[in-house]
Amino acid sequence: MKYQVWAPSAGRVEVEVDGAAHPLTPGEGGWWHGEAPAGQDYGFRLDGGRALPDPRSARQPYGPDGLSRLVDHGAYPWSDGARHGRPLPGAVIYELHVGTFTPAGTFAGAEEKLDHLVELGVDFVELLPVCPFPGRSGWGYDGVSLWAVHEPYGGPDGLKHFVDAAHRKGLGVILDVVHNHLGPSGNYLPAFGPYFTDRHQTPWGSAVNLDSAGSDEVRAYLRESALTWLREYRIDGLRLDAVHTLADDRAVHFLEELADAVHRLGAELNRPLFLIGESDLNSPRVTNPAQAGGYGLSAQWSDDFHHALHAAATGERQGYYADFGQAPMAALARTLTRGWFHDGTWSSFRGRHHGRPFPQAHGHRLLGYSQTHDQIGNRAVGDRLTASQLALTAALVLTSPFTPMLFMGEEWGAGTPWQYFTDHTDPGLAEAVRQGRRREFEAYGWTAEEVPDPQDHGTVRRSTLDWSEPRGGEHAELLGWYQRLIRLRREHPALMDPDLAAVRVDFDEAAGQLTVHRGEFRVTVNFGEKPGDLPAGTLVASWGEAGAGRLGPRSCVITRVAGS
């Protein structure tokens, strides 16, 4: 069996296989190579130290700190005739966290609920990160071993089985990957080479090394990891976490390099593969083609639309909602017709001007949503929007010129929160996270007792969806509304037209009501507490009170005007 590892600073490297050490031979560029008998578990010893997990390990059966295990990707028995991919434009995305989507907290448990997603009408399932992290429970953004799959979820074969099952049902799968940092526990990359650099600093410390000495291999490590998910796990697309924190001063940005590699792989496999970036920059460069000076990602998240929706639905004005909350109807009108609220305007939250104009012909390059894991979980108690609020925001999200995304459970107005939770095995780190979370929210008036303990397993249980809810009552009613909206979007191209310039919005700020013109359709939402005027046209769908020329408070309608 051949083994290799990049360890440019090591003077001696051995591979330990089932307890026996075998020397490797140095080669070009800091790579070490050698052969050893085939075994089950292995690791690399650097300069006589203990065996460390392989940076490119495909499986960590004992967690991030344990030895690695080889995986034969070619041995997996994929189904014949499974879906062969679909492009992102025109799709609806469903974001879910494997560990709290079902009580089982596994790929197999999530697989049992795929029929629910098919009936809902979504096109893609987006999985929060699945790389190994300490313990059993966590969001996944503290993952390490970027080529491996969290064992408690089901490991490599569990992920493949989930993807295969989703494809058989016509659902695509997007995977959230984290390239901007690694978790604080179980990260052994610095022992092997210059994977990080002090040249740049990020919220997590030293930046991933994308532009200093040794960065060619670091970029290859991240690039090949991404391509492995697409090739070996047959993932359809990747969501890249917080790309604005990828510090890279090289002439060809890492994102452009990665997008080109994904495009080439898609052509090789004859499958439409894509990348979605989470970006705080409000910069069209992220999604502009490389030929136009961009990075070439297919889409990016749009928090501005979320903030405008949230301010309109809840009345919240604090923090980054301040600019949107001053005139939420105007903020919604601006984002629906221009893509971003801040496209070069003053941002009071940042204390500076922010963003630049978005190309109006390409609204599908922005994801639109009223809830995400971040926007719920980063609240002190992980509280969601109410069912009545979701009914109104869904009408705008699912008829918008953007690519809609839902967060698990919102389609029935889940009564369960989604809170921040961890399972750090290091007691000191666990306490630091616990106290840090409490200090974060003290400034907003929360007491320590009110902020859920991230290390408490009860926090995970509270955050797990209750699948009895959508069977009846207002939960079932809201679920039917979401299904109706998604069907309308699919049946009528005008409701998914990505041309922002073709969108017109009329609004009454004082009344809290707006009407979005989408071809022959009018989407009217009354966020206010008083009845408003019911728009002209044939009624297509409604939520709340609508009749006799009046639209009730907290209600919405979709009408159709012939010949418009």
Side-chain angles (χ1 to χ4, degrees):
M1 176 68 67
K2 294 181 179 179
Y3 293 88
Q4 61 178 2
V5 67
W6 184 60
S9 300
R12 177 165 59 96
V13 178
E14 300 165 293
V15 59
E16 179 184 303
V17 182
D18 293 342
H22 307 272
L24 300 183
T25 302
E28 295 183 1
W31 282 89
W32 295 73
H33 309 265
E35 295 190 6
Q40 180 161 296
D41 300 325
Y42 74 100
F44 293 106
R45 295 182 180 178
L46 307 178
D47 296 320
R50 74 176 183 87
L52 301 177
D54 183 356
R56 299 192 177 206
S57 168
R59 187 176 179 191
Q60 290 297 117
Y62 311 107
D65 296 308
L67 292 176
S68 303
R69 186 170 295 177
L70 297 172
V71 172
D72 180 2
H73 287 299
Y76 186 81
W78 292 95
S79 300
D80 294 330
R83 79 190 293 280
H84 199 60
R86 64 148 293 166
L88 183 61
V92 177
I93 301 172
Y94 187 95
E95 186 188 34
L96 72 83
H97 174 260
V98 173
T100 52
F101 187 54
T102 68
T106 61
F107 295 122
E111 188 178 319
E112 293 178 0
K113 300 299 183 182
L114 289 177
D115 285 340
H116 167 83
L117 302 183
V118 172
E119 293 167 5
L120 176 59
V122 299
D123 302 287
F124 287 100
V125 178
E126 180 179 315
L127 302 178
L128 267 63
V130 300
C131 290
F133 52 83
R136 177 180 178 82
S137 304
W139 281 19
Y141 294 91
D142 282 336
V144 293
S145 298
L146 301 189
W147 295 51
V149 181
H150 194 48
E151 202 70 18
Y153 286 170
D157 279 1
L159 175 57
K160 291 174 184 176
H161 199 278
F162 176 85
V163 173
D164 203 18
H167 284 176
R168 288 198 305 271
K169 294 180 181 294
L171 295 169
V173 181
I174 302 168
L175 180 62
D176 194 336
V177 297
V178 183
H179 289 164
N180 49 38
H181 74 288
L182 272 76
S185 179
N187 175 18
Y188 296 99
L189 291 184
F192 286 89
Y195 282 89
F196 298 86
T197 174
D198 292 333
R199 184 181 175 200
H200 305 287
Q201 292 295 310
T202 74
W204 306 280
S206 297
V208 173
N209 179 19
L210 298 175
D211 58 6
S212 297
S215 61
D216 283 0
E217 288 294 347
V218 178
R219 291 163 78 107
Y221 172 79
L222 298 175
R223 184 183 65 247
E224 294 304 317
S225 166
L227 297 183
T228 295
W229 298 119
L230 300 171
R231 182 191 298 112
E232 306 298 350
Y233 290 87
R234 302 193 181 184
I235 299 291
D236 298 283
L238 302 176
R239 182 263 193 187
L240 310 177
D241 183 61
V243 297
H244 52 276
T245 61
L246 293 172
D248 183 5
D249 291 336
R250 288 172 60 159
V252 178
H253 195 280
F254 172 70
L255 290 176
E256 180 182 347
E257 179 182 317
L258 179 59
D260 179 67
V262 169
H263 175 75
R264 291 175 183 273
L265 179 62
E268 174 190 329
L269 300 177
N270 193 28
R271 288 171 49 207
L273 305 176
F274 53 85
L275 298 174
I276 301 171
E278 180 200 16
S279 173
D280 186 44
L281 301 175
N282 280 22
S283 172
R285 179 181 299 170
V286 174
T287 48
N288 280 349
Q291 307 91 297
Y295 299 150
L297 275 62
S298 296
Q300 58 180 309
W301 283 31
S302 176
D303 277 354
D304 279 17
F305 181 53
H306 167 272
H307 296 347
L309 280 170
H310 191 88
T314 68
E316 292 184 18
R317 305 288 185 267
Q318 76 278 13
Y320 48 62
Y321 294 123
D323 290 340
F324 303 88
Q326 291 177 2
M329 299 303 108
L332 277 172
R334 185 177 179 88
T335 55
L336 284 165
T337 56
R338 298 177 64 92
W340 287 313
F341 181 84
H342 290 303
D343 55 4
T345 61
W346 175 260
S347 167
S348 63
F349 177 71
R350 297 175 177 86
R352 60 171 174 81
H353 287 79
H354 183 65
R356 68 185 307 169
F358 187 81
Q360 287 181 292
H362 304 294
H364 64 280
R365 293 180 184 170
L366 296 177
L367 266 60
Y369 39 82
S370 65
Q371 297 198 129
T372 70
H373 74 276
D374 271 331
Q375 298 301 339
I376 301 173
N378 285 329
R379 296 171 68 84
V381 294
D383 49 317
R384 297 169 176 258
L385 295 179
T386 66
S388 61
Q389 291 167 341
L390 285 167
L392 305 186
T393 59
L396 294 175
V397 169
L398 292 168
T399 62
S400 76
F402 312 127
T403 296
M405 184 177 73
L406 314 178
F407 180 68
M408 64 177 196
E410 80 162 79
E411 70 274 19
W412 73 73
T416 50
W418 203 71
Q419 300 172 335
Y420 181 70
F421 48 85
T422 56
D423 193 17
H424 291 299
T425 53
D426 179 339
L429 180 58
E431 184 60 21
V433 170
R434 180 183 294 115
Q435 296 303 325
R437 186 75 174 173
R438 290 171 175 169
R439 285 194 302 271
E440 178 183 354
F441 290 103
E442 281 180 0
Y444 298 98
W446 296 88
T447 66
E449 292 72 24
E450 291 174 310
V451 179
D453 181 357
Q455 286 286 124
D456 181 2
H457 290 300
T459 305
V460 181
R461 289 192 296 271
R462 285 191 299 273
S463 301
T464 301
L465 290 178
D466 178 358
W467 283 91
S468 69
E469 290 183 338
R471 297 174 188 164
E474 69 172 5
H475 295 296
E477 184 181 3
L478 183 61
L479 176 57
W481 175 241
Y482 269 77
Q483 291 170 326
R484 175 70 170 139
L485 291 171
I486 293 173
R487 282 198 304 271
L488 284 172
R489 182 178 182 87
R490 179 169 290 115
E491 292 168 358
H492 301 287
L495 296 177
M496 67 170 69
D497 181 1
D499 185 1
L500 300 174
V503 180
R504 194 173 96 240
V505 182
D506 304 322
F507 62 90
D508 183 334
E509 193 69 61
Q513 181 169 318
L514 83 166
T515 296
V516 184
H517 298 247
R518 299 285 280 148
E520 70 270 31
F521 293 92
R522 307 290 182 266
V523 182
T524 302
V525 180
N526 182 5
F527 287 102
E529 299 300 332
K530 296 180 180 179
D533 293 331
L534 189 67
T538 303
L539 182 65
V540 176
S542 66
W543 178 272
E545 304 172 19
R550 304 296 282 169
L551 179 62
R554 296 285 173 173
S555 300
C556 60
V557 295
I558 301 175
T559 55
R560 192 171 191 174
V561 180
S564 61

